[in-house]
Amino acid sequence: YRFLERKENDREAYWNTDVPENKTDRKEHKFTDEYTLNVPGDWNSQAEKFLYYEGIVWYKKSFDFTKANSTDKVYLYFGASNYETDVYLNGKKLGKHKGGFTPFNFEVPDSVLKATGNYLVVKVDNTRHKDEVPTVNTDWWNYGGITRDVQLVEVPPAFIRDFTLQVQKGAALKTMKNVPVEGWVNVKDWQNTREVTVELPELKIKKIFPVTGERVNLRFNLPAMQLWSPQTPKLYTVVVSNGADRIEEKIGFRTIEVAGKQVLLNGKPLFMRGICMHEEIPQQIRRAYSKQDALQLLGYAKELGCNMVRLAHYPHNENMSRTADSMGILVWSEIPVYWTIDFTSAEVFNKARTQLTEMITRDRNRASIIIWSVGNETPVKPARTAFMRNLISAAKSLDSTRLVSAALEVNYQAGVSKIDDPLGEFVDIVSFNEYLGWYAGLPDRCRTAQWEFAYDKPFFISETGAETLYGFHGDSLTRWSEEYQEWYYREQVAMFKRMPENFAGLSPWLLCDFRSPRRNNQTFQEGWNNKGLIDQQGRKKKAFYVLKGYYEEKGL
Ligand code: ADA
């Protein structure tokens, strides 16, 4: 392990967001200690001395591996590793990846892999840099390490790299009979394999397609079937095979579109009763990664009466979207283009687009995901608008079936809150974050708030919230008390009820209190952002029940 020369628990340094770039006295030196770290898992939560650690950790592991067939290919797959990862096997470099929240893999050449005594070394560096995505300044903990699963994957030479199947875009779903679906199978390098078979056993469907080029297009009808929705999260097993390889996926079929002022799910108006969340689990206080974690977080959302979650501010682990698929929870999935980054840099754009591509490639078969978000609160400037527009086009060309949005800022003018960000023209849903009654004024401000919308599109409140310490009580005018947050939510709910008809839903900020290096108010924060409706111990604050009450009313 090589640590940057910083006190191991250097809280001051961690809280100073300029540290990674501007400290000139950084030297590297070797620690002789070795630790056993769990993978998947962030390193910060695995030992007290790592809590504030940012820098490099070298991982090593040995393993034996015998291929089932000598002609098979082997890949080393990482679910995610934050942020820069270099992978070596038996002394040979397999590759490098940047980006903390999306999957990547490297082919392991036959010449490198041994039957016994393979030695895998992975260097992970979570140092923040100005020209990375996200950049130096974020309001969440920069958990380092190999935070998601690592797998060795053995496949035949002609293997199914990827496929997708969804309801045809624009299909009018008058009846549930003969629902048209479309998609493709990636057949790159299949050489002598001439056919691919797609089956949906439950619907007694078996289709055989001839293989040409690198992509085989799929288009057929499903007979009487059930669409996926939050009320009926029906998933069908889809089997794709070619004689040598076979993969099975569980896929839900639904449509999502904007028609005039409304968002339509399966052709019917949708109101999103959402909540934002970070990928952090209360009580244990670490990065979430497992199915169990997903059940806990999404279980809280269900209890709150949600039909939707905003997974902020980066792609969460795959268990989240898969569990959302089976629980019937709609998902907003986002890349970490957050606040100010260098919008003039082509290199930074490429980093953002790579993460967008990796996110969409992983999750394009998840019915739960209805919105790809290209960023959060990026300040309105011409270069930024061009940058974000290009990301929107990239998302659309990767997946034309889902909606694209971004959390915009409100343009506060005397007495009027204007939603007029130029990016509004290019997104499908105009989303924005507002904190009326927390960052400015008291919650009763909501009563006189005037909203002006420049776009005749559905709009979505992607954040609203107030900080509160669980168990800290006062009257409703006492900031940080549970009563203040409760009052804030009451006033906000009353305001939502007066919103115009294109109000398509909301995802308040946020489900659980979370660690943040920016939050250094010594009395109320101590390294925590406490806008959760649930605290770090998993206890519900009073405001939880205000939002739940509203969602119960809306859900009727
Ligand atoms: C912003 C940001 C969030 C969160 C919030 C807050 O709106 O989008 O990440 O940090 O502020 O708590 O102030």
Side-chain angles (χ1 to χ4, degrees):
Y1 302 88
R2 278 153 76 230
F3 286 6
L4 296 182
E5 192 165 310
R6 256 163 83 178
K7 276 182 264 140
E8 285 135 21
N9 243 354
D10 192 347
R11 196 174 77 168
E12 303 276 295
Y14 194 84
W15 276 348
N16 176 354
T17 48
D18 287 337
V19 165
E21 219 67 50
N22 297 345
K23 250 200 159 176
T24 49
D25 59 348
R26 277 171 42 182
K27 285 190 215 96
E28 288 188 352
H29 71 242
K30 277 192 180 161
F31 273 65
T32 48
D33 327 31
E34 291 204 358
Y35 300 86
T36 302
L37 289 174
N38 291 326
V39 171
D42 64 83
W43 65 56
N44 310 74
S45 64
Q46 296 196 45
E48 258 305 294
K49 68 186 298 179
F50 292 138
L51 181 58
Y52 298 96
Y53 179 65
E54 270 190 336
I56 296 166
V57 168
W58 290 86
Y59 291 76
K60 63 181 185 189
K61 183 179 172 69
S62 39
F63 64 91
D64 300 338
F65 185 77
T66 308
K67 287 206 266 182
N69 286 306
S70 61
T71 53
D72 282 356
K73 289 165 177 273
V74 175
Y75 288 84
L76 189 61
Y77 170 92
F78 288 74
S81 169
N82 188 29
Y83 175 86
E84 185 178 310
T85 308
D86 291 281
V87 181
Y88 303 83
L89 186 66
N90 301 331
K92 166 132 178 53
K93 183 156 181 176
L94 297 183
K96 178 198 254 326
H97 180 263
K98 280 186 175 198
F101 304 97
T102 42
F104 57 96
N105 59 70
F106 302 118
E107 189 171 350
V108 181
D110 278 342
S111 56
V112 174
L113 193 63
K114 300 189 288 189
T116 55
N118 289 289
Y119 197 68
L120 176 66
V121 172
V122 182
K123 177 189 175 198
V124 183
D125 186 352
N126 75 333
T127 311
R128 292 169 284 168
H129 295 286
K130 284 204 167 71
D131 60 348
E132 297 299 336
V133 180
T135 181
V136 178
N137 198 5
T138 63
D139 194 15
W140 68 80
W141 207 254
N142 182 28
Y143 286 110
I146 306 175
T147 51
R148 298 183 191 159
D149 277 324
V150 180
Q151 293 168 45
L152 268 177
V153 184
E154 181 177 349
V155 287
F159 70 102
I160 300 150
R161 285 170 195 264
D162 199 4
F163 86 95
T164 181
L165 195 64
Q166 312 202 34
V167 179
Q168 265 176 38
K169 195 171 155 57
L173 301 173
K174 295 242 162 43
T175 71
M176 288 314 110
K177 291 215 169 99
N178 289 323
V179 171
V181 291
E182 64 186 355
W184 45 259
V185 184
N186 182 335
V187 298
K188 191 164 174 269
D189 299 332
W190 277 22
Q191 322 256 346
N192 300 322
T193 309
R194 294 274 160 256
E195 283 177 356
V196 58
T197 306
V198 179
E199 290 165 89
L200 284 86
E202 197 181 330
L203 297 174
K204 300 191 169 51
I205 294 234
K206 181 174 180 175
K207 303 268 174 200
I208 299 174
F209 299 87
V211 167
T212 49
E214 292 203 337
R215 213 177 233 213
V216 168
N217 290 322
L218 312 174
R219 225 176 147 87
F220 52 93
N221 288 345
L222 299 179
M225 53 90 76
Q226 201 175 3
L227 290 171
W228 184 97
S229 73
Q231 296 77 27
T232 56
K234 172 70 187 162
L235 300 174
Y236 289 93
T237 299
V238 180
V239 185
V240 181
S241 58
N242 66 2
D245 198 14
R246 176 183 191 280
I247 51 174
E248 238 185 74
E249 266 281 34
K250 287 212 175 281
I251 298 185
F253 297 97
R254 54 106 190 93
T255 59
I256 187 78
E257 66 200 301
V258 162
K261 295 177 181 209
Q262 287 181 316
V263 178
L264 304 179
L265 177 72
N266 297 329
K268 297 190 197 96
L270 171 70
F271 185 82
M272 288 172 272
R273 308 187 306 271
I275 191 75
C276 286
M277 59 178 81
H278 266 296
E279 194 189 35
E280 194 179 67
I281 200 91
Q283 287 158 343
Q284 300 179 39
I285 310 168
R286 54 166 173 76
R287 269 260 171 278
Y289 56 81
S290 66
K291 172 127 198 249
Q292 204 49 42
D293 294 342
L295 286 168
Q296 182 179 344
L297 293 170
L298 296 174
Y300 285 144
K302 271 265 169 182
E303 205 184 324
L304 187 58
C306 294
N307 62 1
M308 185 259 190
V309 292
R310 174 179 175 212
L311 303 182
H313 286 295
Y314 39 76
H316 288 211
N317 69 85
E318 201 174 346
N319 285 310
M320 290 297 282
S321 48
R322 287 191 178 269
T323 307
D325 260 15
S326 56
M327 285 174 76
I329 297 182
L330 301 162
V331 174
W332 157 309
S333 188
E334 182 163 303
I335 51 168
V337 172
Y338 186 83
W339 294 346
T340 299
I341 61 174
D342 186 354
F343 296 111
T344 61
S345 158
E347 208 189 307
V348 172
F349 179 80
N350 284 338
K351 288 172 187 166
R353 190 181 46 196
T354 300
Q355 294 186 40
L356 181 74
T357 307
E358 289 168 346
M359 170 176 80
I360 295 179
T361 303
R362 189 192 76 182
D363 275 350
R364 57 162 44 106
N365 285 326
R366 301 282 76 79
S368 54
I369 298 184
I370 52 167
I371 298 169
W372 301 123
S373 163
V374 293
N376 180 72
E377 290 185 357
T378 53
V380 179
K381 284 194 185 110
R384 159 275 192 184
T385 302
F387 183 104
M388 299 301 279
R389 239 187 108 169
N390 288 336
L391 281 179
I392 294 168
S393 317
K396 290 271 174 203
S397 65
L398 286 159
D399 174 13
S400 62
T401 70
R402 287 177 176 80
L403 308 179
V404 179
S405 195
L408 310 178
E409 280 179 339
V410 179
N411 175 9
Y412 294 106
Q413 299 290 330
V416 188
S417 307
K418 292 190 177 173
I419 305 303
D420 59 2
D421 184 323
L423 209 56
E425 197 182 325
F426 309 105
V427 289
D428 297 310
I429 303 181
V430 178
S431 307
F432 58 90
N433 300 347
E434 58 89 4
Y435 286 85
L436 287 186
W438 177 252
Y439 286 124
L442 290 169
D444 58 4
R445 253 193 93 172
C446 293
R447 294 183 197 169
T448 51
Q450 299 287 320
W451 291 92
E452 214 177 273
F453 298 92
Y455 304 101
D456 210 17
K457 293 183 181 185
F459 71 88
F460 180 80
I461 299 179
S462 36
E463 282 180 33
T464 179
E467 266 191 271
T468 299
L469 278 189
Y470 174 85
F472 177 64
H473 295 290
D475 58 20
S476 53
L477 283 168
T478 309
R479 267 175 91 82
W480 306 93
S481 72
E482 284 200 49
E483 287 70 21
Y484 188 98
Q485 192 192 39
E486 187 183 35
W487 181 38
Y488 178 96
Y489 269 85
R490 285 218 176 98
E491 295 288 354
Q492 287 274 334
V493 164
M495 181 176 75
F496 303 149
K497 290 182 177 170
R498 295 192 302 272
M499 284 293 189
E501 55 175 335
N502 44 339
F503 181 36
L506 64 152
S507 57
W509 190 251
L510 82 167
L511 188 66
C512 301
D513 292 347
F514 63 101
R515 277 196 184 285
S516 166
R518 294 172 53 79
R519 302 289 162 174
N520 47 16
N521 175 310
Q522 300 279 312
T523 315
F524 296 107
Q525 293 177 315
E526 277 287 310
W528 286 83
N529 182 319
N530 291 311
K531 293 194 186 70
L533 295 173
I534 297 177
D535 84 342
Q536 51 178 279
Q537 304 304 330
R539 297 171 296 197
K540 287 160 197 134
K541 304 177 190 175
K542 286 182 163 190
F544 180 96
Y545 301 98
V546 178
L547 187 62
K548 184 177 162 77
Y550 175 53
Y551 283 172
E552 274 167 5
E553 248 176 66
K554 289 299 284 184
L556 291 177

